[in-house]
Amino acid sequence: MLLTLVCVIIGVVTLFSLRTFLVTKLDRELADASSRAAGYVEGGGPPGGRQPPPEGQEPPPDGGPPPGGRPPRPPPDGEPRLPPIEAPGQGPGTINALIENGSVGSAMRQTASGTREALPAAAKAQLAALPVDGRPHQRDLGDLGAYRLMAVVDHNGDFVVVTGLPMDDIDATTLSVALVLGGVSLIGLTVAGVAGVLIVRRTLRPLDRVAATARQVAMLPLDRGEVALSERVPAADTDPDTEVGQVGSALNHMLGHVGNALAARHASETRVRQFVADASHELRTPLTAIRGYAELAGRSTELDPEVRHAVSRVFAEAGRMTTLVEDLLLLARLDSGRPLLAETVDLSRLVVDAIGDARVAGPGHQWRLDLPPEPVLATGDRARLHQVLANLLANSRTHTPPGTTVTVTLTGGGDQVVLEVADDGPGIPPALLPEVFERFARGDGSRSRAAGSTGLGLAIVAAVVAAHHGTVEVTSSPGDTRFTVRLPFDGSP
């Protein structure tokens, strides 16, 4: 684009300068031609009149030609009495005219064959209106084309002598140069464009390899787990003496720092997971002892009612603490990549059992079941899959008011099993949706709770489903909340 603009500017300046030069040259020729025409009029005697005789010579008799003079020509019928100017040295296309008292008496144009032809009336009118200032003026004379014209007064002040030269040669020269410049510019732009593309592509090949390395890194799962960030820009593309090499070297340094940070993050996460797993494992024994002692103390008939209530609360909170510890221990084991059981599970039977348990736990809700006529099978850990369904149903029961309808739909076919738990409750707050499967994520008061929650139920669902190579997603709006679980399909009978 810039090269095209430069070519256009060069072409315009060149054509303008050339035309200015040619017009200036034509104006000088016009001044010479005007001088010859005016000299012819002054030296040959007044057109239509007589030259005064030389000194010491008698004037000729009336009607005779003056000695050494030019006899006047009788004008043709219908023509003005002023004869044409026949000055020597006038080239083809030259216009000569005599104007007397504002009237064009003689206006002729010299042809290429040397003859003279009269000008049309429209051209004569433009000659008559020409300023008499001895300066060139450009006029369009219709079919005759553009002319440079000059009007001067003869020495005696009797006549106005008009001389004109055509601009056809200037226009033709300008057009030819414009075509040559345009053609050369077009060819030059084409060659420069092709050469530029080839040179730029060759020059930017290292940058393409740098971009390919960046794309490979962008495709790596950097958000969790151990990341082996081994991708680097090739050494040949890290030359510090080139711009592309500086980019490649900077990218390699950045990848090195990112790799170190990811390794440190993974080591920290590993230590945290190990601590959670160890703490959860160690807490199981004292919590079991607390529940046992609380249950034993609660059986005594000699306890004061307030003490009995306190013991019952200790037993209940110990049970809740045990559930939290078990959940944390399960998540720690899943994070560490501990494999689950791989057996054929009848999901239809699993859903029926889970719905039965949910009806007992939430009699105030409406529970509906939509199952295919044939059993739907999947490969996985039966206990963990039951926990997934139980957590989803508990989530719907806990965070929706009584009277809410919860529908469980199971479909199988193709290469996956689809399990959907939907309710017509108030929905999940939009701000909570992006992190609903995060650990300890809790909704606000718009989803009221009938019981306490650890905030780990949906996190366990996501972790167990991921361990089964499946996916889970949620969509929610007031009156329609849907959790959709997709697992690999086991079509064995």
Side-chain angles (χ1 to χ4, degrees):
M1 185 63 184
L2 182 60
L3 188 58
T4 303
L5 181 61
V6 171
C7 289
V8 171
I9 293 176
I10 292 176
V12 171
V13 172
T14 301
L15 291 177
F16 178 79
S17 302
L18 176 63
R19 187 174 182 86
T20 302
F21 170 78
L22 294 177
V23 170
T24 303
K25 183 172 181 275
L26 183 65
D27 288 344
R28 289 197 297 267
E29 296 174 357
L30 177 61
D32 294 340
S34 178
S35 298
R36 289 193 296 270
Y40 172 82
V41 171
E42 295 170 1
R50 294 184 178 182
Q51 281 272 21
E55 186 177 354
Q57 191 176 21
E58 292 293 329
D62 292 341
R70 176 171 49 83
R73 295 183 180 180
D77 295 339
E79 290 290 331
R81 62 183 296 275
L82 297 177
I85 298 175
E86 298 179 353
Q90 307 290 64
T94 303
I95 290 177
N96 293 119
L98 280 176
I99 301 176
E100 183 180 14
N101 298 325
S103 175
V104 180
S106 173
M108 306 296 288
R109 175 178 177 271
Q110 186 158 331
T111 64
S113 61
T115 62
R116 290 178 173 84
E117 60 181 8
L119 298 183
K124 291 181 179 180
Q126 293 214 45
L127 297 182
L130 195 69
V132 185
D133 55 4
R135 298 173 59 185
H137 298 276
Q138 185 170 328
R139 295 291 186 272
D140 186 1
L141 301 184
D143 295 338
L144 300 180
Y147 266 77
R148 297 288 286 184
L149 302 170
M150 181 181 292
V152 297
V153 180
D154 72 328
H155 182 72
N156 299 323
D158 297 330
F159 304 98
V160 174
V161 181
V162 179
T163 307
L165 294 180
M167 298 190 64
D168 295 344
D169 291 343
I170 294 179
D171 294 338
T173 301
T174 305
L175 178 60
S176 299
V177 173
L179 293 176
V180 171
L181 284 176
V184 171
S185 299
L186 182 60
I187 295 174
L189 287 174
T190 302
V191 173
V194 173
V197 169
L198 295 177
I199 294 174
V200 169
R201 286 184 177 178
R202 181 179 180 84
T203 305
L204 294 183
R205 282 177 185 172
L207 189 59
D208 292 337
R209 293 190 287 269
V210 172
T213 302
R215 284 193 295 270
Q216 292 176 1
V217 174
M219 295 175 62
L220 295 175
L222 304 179
D223 57 335
R224 64 186 61 188
E226 184 177 6
V227 180
L229 194 59
S230 59
E231 284 75 7
R232 292 293 186 275
V233 177
D237 299 328
T238 58
D239 185 2
D241 295 333
T242 64
E243 289 79 3
V244 176
Q246 293 174 8
V247 173
S249 178
L251 182 60
N252 278 350
H253 282 88
M254 183 188 70
L255 292 178
H257 288 306
V258 171
N260 293 335
L262 291 175
R265 185 211 66 186
H266 178 66
S268 176
E269 289 181 351
T270 301
R271 288 192 295 269
V272 171
R273 291 193 186 102
Q274 187 62 42
F275 170 77
V276 171
D278 293 343
S280 299
H281 182 75
E282 293 300 327
L283 286 173
R284 294 171 71 183
T285 300
L287 285 173
T288 302
I290 291 173
R291 292 186 66 189
Y293 284 118
E295 183 178 4
L296 179 62
R299 293 178 182 178
S300 174
T301 58
E302 300 178 356
L303 290 178
D304 185 85
E306 291 184 0
V307 176
R308 184 182 299 277
H309 175 72
V311 170
S312 66
R313 293 306 304 150
V314 169
F315 181 81
E317 292 302 320
R320 185 169 179 271
M321 188 65 179
T322 301
T323 302
L324 176 60
V325 168
E326 294 291 344
D327 289 344
L328 288 174
L329 184 58
L330 174 60
L331 287 173
R333 289 173 176 174
L334 292 175
D335 288 340
S336 65
R338 182 174 299 183
L340 301 177
L341 294 178
E343 57 184 357
T344 300
V345 180
D346 186 350
L347 292 181
S348 299
R349 174 61 63 88
L350 199 68
V351 170
V352 171
D353 294 342
I355 285 288
D357 296 340
R359 282 197 176 98
V360 174
H365 287 67
Q366 301 294 324
W367 303 94
R368 294 181 180 177
L369 187 59
D370 184 6
L371 296 177
E374 298 295 330
V376 177
L377 305 180
T379 300
D381 189 318
R382 177 182 176 84
R384 296 299 166 230
L385 292 176
H386 182 274
Q387 188 174 9
V388 166
L389 185 55
N391 285 359
L392 291 176
L393 294 176
N395 181 76
S396 297
R397 182 186 73 250
T398 303
H399 299 291
T400 58
T404 301
T405 299
V406 181
T407 303
V408 180
T409 304
L410 180 65
T411 58
D415 58 351
Q416 65 180 1
V417 176
V418 179
L419 174 65
E420 185 178 80
V421 178
D423 65 69
D424 57 0
I428 302 174
L432 184 63
L433 270 178
E435 56 184 25
V436 71
F437 293 108
E438 298 295 330
R439 297 171 188 184
F440 301 106
R442 296 177 182 272
D444 56 16
S446 62
R447 288 171 69 87
S448 61
R449 299 180 190 148
S453 172
T454 63
L456 297 176
L458 294 181
I460 292 176
V461 169
V464 172
V465 171
H468 283 82
H469 308 290
T471 61
V472 58
E473 59 186 18
V474 59
T475 59
S476 181
S477 61
D480 185 17
T481 299
R482 296 177 181 273
F483 287 87
T484 305
V485 176
R486 291 180 172 84
L487 298 171
F489 177 64
D490 185 352
S492 60

